Amino acid sequence: MSVTARNGSKATHEGQNQDRRNIARRRVLVLVPLALFVGLATLFLFRLFAGDPSLLPSPLIGRPAPQTALPPVAGLARDGAPLPGLDPALFKGAVTVVNVWASWCVPCRDEAPLLMELARDKRFRLVGINYKDEAENARRFLARFGNPFAAAGADQNGRAGIEWGVYGVPETFVIGRDGKIAYKLVGPISEDNLDTVLKPQIEKALGAPSS
């Protein structure tokens, strides 16, 4: 074989090796982000279905509750008196449980009896944020399933939901006497998490100092 032929064969071989290396690099560049995405998705789903929805991260835990005042749900009354909207000024000095709900939310129907049970405990206030709902539908929902709320603010455009970091309805927050968010429950209240998660968190807030 001539020198020229050998050099040509060597160049071809090196070119093929370079092509293989380039292909390998491209595969790595594709697979690394994919692996990171799969890992994060797996962690998210594990936390979501691990039995404690509060494991979903919330940057608001330990921070003051959003100071978003909401108007009352139009025409909503309780015990013959108009039900007030959401006034964040009332968070200070008292433990408050805030429930985000809507008439179109199917799981909200399931947790309604448990909210009525919570409302019997007068050591804290139970208030609602009616999320992206029509007032007439909200009134009909509470007439059917019971009204556990001492106040209910109408968040018709969903802006308050964004400020509260709501993933979806229903969600429930525990606000301490210091006006800070002590706990967040993502998803519906159930008989299980009511006794094992939510009530203990409320008791913890009740036992904590106001500042």
Side-chain angles (χ1 to χ4, degrees), residues 158-181:
R159 179 59 185 269
I162 294 174
E163 295 183 1
W164 281 84
V166 171
Y167 291 101
V169 288
E171 290 190 7
T172 303
F173 298 82
V174 178
I175 314 299
R177 291 191 180 92
D178 56 2
K180 296 180 181 179
I181 296 178

Side-chain angles (χ1 to χ4, degrees), residues 34-49:
L34 180 61
L36 289 173
F37 173 79
V38 171
L40 290 173
T42 301
L43 178 61
F44 178 86
L45 291 173
F46 172 77
R47 288 180 171 183
L48 181 62
F49 296 106

Side-chain angles (χ1 to χ4, degrees), residues 25 37 89-90 111 114 149 163:
R25 290 193 191 99
F37 173 79
L90 297 178
E111 71 172 12
L114 300 176
F149 303 121
E163 295 183 1

Side-chain angles (χ1 to χ4, degrees), residues 43-113:
L43 178 61
F44 178 86
L45 291 173
F46 172 77
R47 288 180 171 183
L48 181 62
F49 296 106
D52 185 357
S54 69
L55 293 176
L56 282 171
S58 174
L60 295 180
I61 300 298
R63 295 187 179 183
Q67 297 300 295
T68 306
L70 292 174
V73 176
L76 186 59
R78 181 176 180 180
D79 299 329
L83 197 71
L86 186 66
D87 182 1
L90 297 178
F91 291 154
K92 278 280 190 176
V95 173
T96 306
V97 175
V98 181
N99 179 254
V100 185
W101 64 283
S103 64
W104 46 263
C105 163
V106 175
C108 294
R109 302 176 184 181
D110 298 330
E111 71 172 12

